[in-house]
Amino acid sequence: MCGLLGAVSPRNIVPILVEGLKRLEYRGYDSCGIAVHQNGALRRSRSTARVAELDALVARDGVEGGTGIAHTRWATHGAPAVHNAHPHFSHGAGDDAVTRRPGRIALVHNGIVENHERLRARLEARGYAFASQTDTEVIAHLIDLHYDGDLFEAVKRAAVELEGAYAIAAFCRDEPLRVVGARKGSPLVLGLGEGETFLASDAMALAGVTERIVYLEEGDVADLQPGRHWIEHRPEGADRWQRVEREARRVPAWTGAAELGPYRHYMQKEIFEQPRAIADTLEGVEGIAPDLFGDRAHRVMGEVDRVLVLACGTSYYAGLTAKLWFESIARIPTEVEIASEYRYRDSVPHDRTLVVTISQSGETADTLSALRHARSLGMTRTLTICNVATSAMVRECMLAYVTRAGVEIGVASTKAFTTQLAALHLLALALAPVRGRLPDADAERHLAAMRHLPVAMQAALALEPQVIAWAERFAVRQHALFLGRGLHYPIALEGALKLKEISYIHAEAYPAGELKHGPLALVDAQMPVVAIAPNDALLEKLKSNLSEVRARGGELSVVADRDSALAAADGMHVIRLPDPVGALSPITHVVPLQLLAYHAAVIRGTDVDKPRNLAKSVTVE
């Protein structure tokens, strides 16, 4: 969600902080700010506009220094307003009327402090005055309360008292060239430069600055000084801190991912990158084998007799699709749970379960919490499908398949979703032979179809001009229905979500057979209906459902295969995918729905890459 940066350097680091914030804009935010140590005092600039406006504000105010922190905020506690924007100072920027002590702690924070109300009352009783409605300001005052000349020790003492999730970066007026960071439940990395050290919530923020990255673990507190750092760790439930070493890894900067090239928006670019992303994700797959998912995969897959999928949002829809693949190809019973709900209900654990998590970032707080809950119930065989090899999800799961979608900047997921589907189909194929369910000839047929996917995706993308014509009709609507059956019901859900996310058109999806059980009441000439109609065993059933819509005067837009025998007519518009891919058709049929949402949003003039109220990486519950 929010983006966080910190730096200590002999040079002025404000331009680096500003550029880092620009690289983090894709995560979503509604305010931003920078604070530095300047001439022995705390200086900051904050804005509820875009980072470009903050950059101008910083230049106007003459904010510069070698020690600083920066932040993009997505509001949780307190409205999007300058006084709630980060960075926060203890007691404000000057002398405090209550304590008569100058403000000395500057802090930025990602996450949610669950015990902030209790801490706030305690701090107010000690004479601390609050200038915002945020939970973050509590941390700044708490560090100030514990400060006795050593910022590192003060942060450690404060961290012990915090409940919930956080990644923080703080510096002190009285200790130039020092920044301290801490992590629990929210990602945080160090960047190691020549004579300078950086802190960020996302390694991409440091692209072009350094490729030497240290990933902090849960319970780490890091002390940053120019050209050096050290880390202490406090395990959950322990009462002592211990010095630890974390490996520095070389992480490619991916600077090209931030370039739009010939595209108007990042989402459009990422839609058209899908053939390459699929090809990269499947690169090196020469045959169907469990060891594609890790060295222990063959043993683990032989020990399970059911699957539990945990995911949120678009990844949850990928899981719903995977359930049908797992059960039809591998014949293994599968449940799919919304991660944010799973850990808060009484479930029945089964120790021979393969727990599969799906996450683009690998830092999704709800999914990580659900994974840990499943493990606490004794379901220790875990596997993740994730796009970030260095993420918490990959580190915490026994097995993993890392998709290679590349950096996805648009908030509405596209290439991350289709690469997840490709990896999940591969998992179904890997599970099947372990269970004696996939003859070699069938395995080769499936693998050939997967290798053909990039070509089929290109053919689907070539339909963009026809989709633009659909989008012109959709852009003036306020509501839409999406219908699908079997494997394509989750794709209908994903199509409706995309339209909602970026065009703000209210859209709902249903299994087409459910239409007559209630949703048909909504259908009239003003309600556009999108249907996904591959040439499969359910096509004739789906045609009957479409007839129900036409009989009520509804306008149909149908995504069909070239041989689906569906003819265009008044009130029925048909787009035909020219390259059918059988069981993999959810991956190609979602492409026109992505393009429909994108072009409807462009016509309506919404902020396609950064839709209102949404964030790219949801790292709080």
Side-chain angles (χ1 to χ4, degrees):
M1 297 173 89
C2 308
L4 174 157
L5 283 157
V8 285
S9 173
R11 59 173 167 159
N12 175 28
I13 45 79
V14 170
I16 294 173
L17 295 178
V18 170
E19 183 60 30
L21 290 185
K22 289 178 180 178
R23 294 188 180 279
L24 293 176
E25 284 188 288
Y26 76 99
R27 296 168 71 101
Y29 66 104
D30 45 45
S31 61
C32 50
I34 286 178
V36 297
H37 190 284
Q38 186 172 4
N39 299 324
L42 306 182
R43 291 284 310 278
R44 71 181 168 191
S45 294
R46 299 182 291 177
S47 173
T48 55
R50 291 300 184 192
V51 174
E53 284 77 9
L54 176 67
D55 192 10
L57 190 63
V58 165
R60 187 199 71 187
D61 294 344
V63 175
E64 59 181 38
T67 301
I69 54 180
H71 195 261
T72 53
R73 175 180 185 249
W74 191 81
T76 53
H77 296 78
V82 170
H83 68 280
N84 287 326
H86 301 212
H88 288 286
F89 291 169
S90 58
H91 305 300
D95 289 348
D96 185 84
V98 178
T99 64
R100 300 297 180 189
R101 291 209 313 265
R104 57 188 175 184
I105 304 298
L107 179 133
V108 292
H109 161 234
N110 291 351
I112 292 177
V113 180
E114 294 177 355
N115 61 334
H116 72 98
E117 292 179 343
R118 186 166 68 252
L119 291 172
R120 187 184 186 106
R122 173 182 155 208
L123 289 162
E124 286 177 333
R126 296 291 296 268
Y128 286 88
F130 285 78
S132 76
Q133 288 80 49
T134 68
D135 56 336
T136 297
E137 193 180 1
V138 167
I139 309 175
H141 292 329
L142 188 63
I143 294 172
D144 185 274
L145 177 68
H146 288 296
Y147 186 74
D148 189 23
D150 188 330
L151 179 63
F152 189 58
E153 292 300 319
V155 170
K156 289 195 297 181
R157 294 188 190 109
V160 171
E161 298 193 51
L162 299 177
E163 298 173 8
Y166 57 80
I168 62 175
F171 70 89
C172 180
R173 180 202 62 202
D174 301 335
E175 296 184 67
L177 296 177
R178 190 184 200 187
V179 169
V180 175
R183 175 200 171 163
K184 179 187 175 186
S186 196
L188 197 61
V189 304
L190 304 184
L192 309 182
E194 296 297 325
E196 52 192 8
T197 313
F198 305 93
L199 196 65
S201 54
D202 187 327
M204 186 178 174
L206 302 177
V209 177
T210 180
E211 292 186 349
R212 294 178 61 217
I213 301 296
V214 175
Y215 289 86
L216 296 183
E217 301 285 347
E218 292 288 283
D220 283 356
V221 176
D223 194 337
L224 283 68
Q225 297 185 27
R228 61 180 184 150
H229 72 278
W230 52 89
I231 302 168
E232 291 190 14
H233 177 76
R234 187 173 183 266
E236 189 74 29
D239 58 1
R240 299 182 63 182
W241 294 87
Q242 57 191 37
R243 182 78 174 267
V244 294
E245 298 291 331
R246 302 287 185 220
E247 177 188 2
R249 309 183 189 187
R250 188 161 297 279
V251 177
W254 289 331
T255 51
E259 303 300 327
L260 267 175
Y263 299 100
R264 186 171 176 182
H265 299 93
Y266 285 108
M267 182 179 178
Q268 184 186 30
K269 176 176 183 268
E270 288 153 10
I271 289 172
F272 278 84
E273 286 176 339
Q274 288 177 112
R276 169 51 56 190
I278 294 281
D280 288 346
T281 295
L282 299 177
E283 185 178 0
V285 177
E286 300 297 334
I288 304 301
D291 61 9
L292 291 169
F293 296 85
D295 294 339
R296 294 178 287 176
H298 195 282
R299 176 181 61 80
V300 170
M301 291 181 187
E303 294 171 346
V304 301
D305 55 25
R306 63 187 65 192
V307 174
L308 170 64
V309 178
L310 303 171
C312 299
T314 286
S315 296
Y316 172 70
Y317 299 150
L320 290 178
T321 309
K323 169 184 168 69
L324 300 178
W325 283 331
F326 293 162
E327 294 189 342
S328 65
I329 297 172
R331 304 299 294 167
I332 186 166
T334 302
E335 296 180 64
V336 186
E337 294 264 6
I338 296 173
S340 58
E341 293 292 318
Y342 170 69
R343 66 180 293 219
Y344 296 109
R345 70 173 186 82
D346 292 330
S347 58
V348 181
H350 181 74
D351 62 0
R352 291 178 63 85
T353 297
L354 178 64
V355 178
V356 177
T357 63
I358 311 170
S359 170
Q360 185 272 329
S361 67
E363 304 288 351
T364 308
D366 289 318
T367 309
L368 280 169
S369 295
L371 168 67
R372 293 162 186 162
H373 177 65
R375 284 206 309 259
S376 75
L377 297 177
M379 295 184 288
T380 58
R381 298 172 181 88
T382 57
L383 182 153
T384 190
I385 305 295
C386 180
N387 193 43
V388 182
T390 52
S391 65
M393 204 80 71
V394 172
R395 293 196 302 271
E396 294 191 24
C397 283
M398 186 180 293
L399 307 173
Y401 194 92
V402 178
T403 58
R404 297 174 64 186
V407 176
E408 191 177 64
I409 292 176
V411 166
S413 180
T414 52
K415 62 178 180 174
F417 175 66
T418 50
T419 53
Q420 285 172 355
L421 288 176
L424 289 163
H425 192 267
L426 200 60
L427 177 57
L429 298 179
L431 282 165
V434 177
R435 300 171 56 80
R437 296 290 182 180
L438 192 67
D440 290 345
D442 289 347
E444 188 55 41
R445 177 174 52 83
H446 280 291
L447 195 55
M450 295 196 75
R451 289 173 178 147
H452 183 68
L453 265 176
V455 174
M457 295 285 278
Q458 289 284 13
L461 289 166
L463 300 171
E464 185 180 32
Q466 297 176 57
V467 178
I468 292 173
W470 281 16
E472 291 170 350
R473 294 191 297 271
F474 269 76
V476 298
R477 306 295 189 184
Q478 297 305 315
H479 308 276
L481 289 177
F482 285 69
L483 303 176
R485 299 199 73 145
L487 279 168
H488 299 85
Y489 167 52
I491 302 308
L493 287 165
E494 173 64 8
L497 177 63
K498 285 292 156 286
L499 195 65
K500 281 184 281 197
E501 283 180 312
I502 62 170
S503 75
Y504 314 148
I505 297 170
H506 172 247
E508 297 295 335
Y510 292 92
E514 284 293 291
L515 191 63
K516 55 186 175 292
H517 295 290
L520 196 57
L522 297 171
V523 174
D524 60 18
Q526 300 305 309
M527 175 67 77
V529 178
V530 178
I532 307 166
N535 190 12
D536 60 14
L538 290 170
L539 180 59
E540 293 305 318
K541 295 287 186 184
L542 180 62
K543 287 180 180 179
S544 297
N545 304 137
L546 302 186
S547 295
E548 293 170 350
V549 173
R550 295 189 69 189
R552 274 76 179 176
E555 184 176 24
L556 278 162
S557 298
V558 183
V559 180
D561 284 340
R562 69 185 179 201
D563 51 359
S564 288
L566 284 165
D570 288 342
M572 182 161 168
H573 314 282
V574 180
I575 285 179
R576 301 184 187 282
L577 293 180
D579 201 352
V581 289
L584 291 165
S585 62
I587 300 176
T588 54
H589 277 74
V590 77
V591 172
L593 306 186
Q594 295 170 342
L595 290 169
L596 174 62
Y598 170 74
H599 285 290
V602 169
I603 293 168
R604 288 168 70 95
T606 62
D607 191 339
V608 172
D609 289 330
K610 295 184 283 290
R612 67 189 182 200
N613 304 331
L614 298 181
K616 180 63 179 173
S617 182
V618 184
T619 55
V620 296
E621 290 189 67

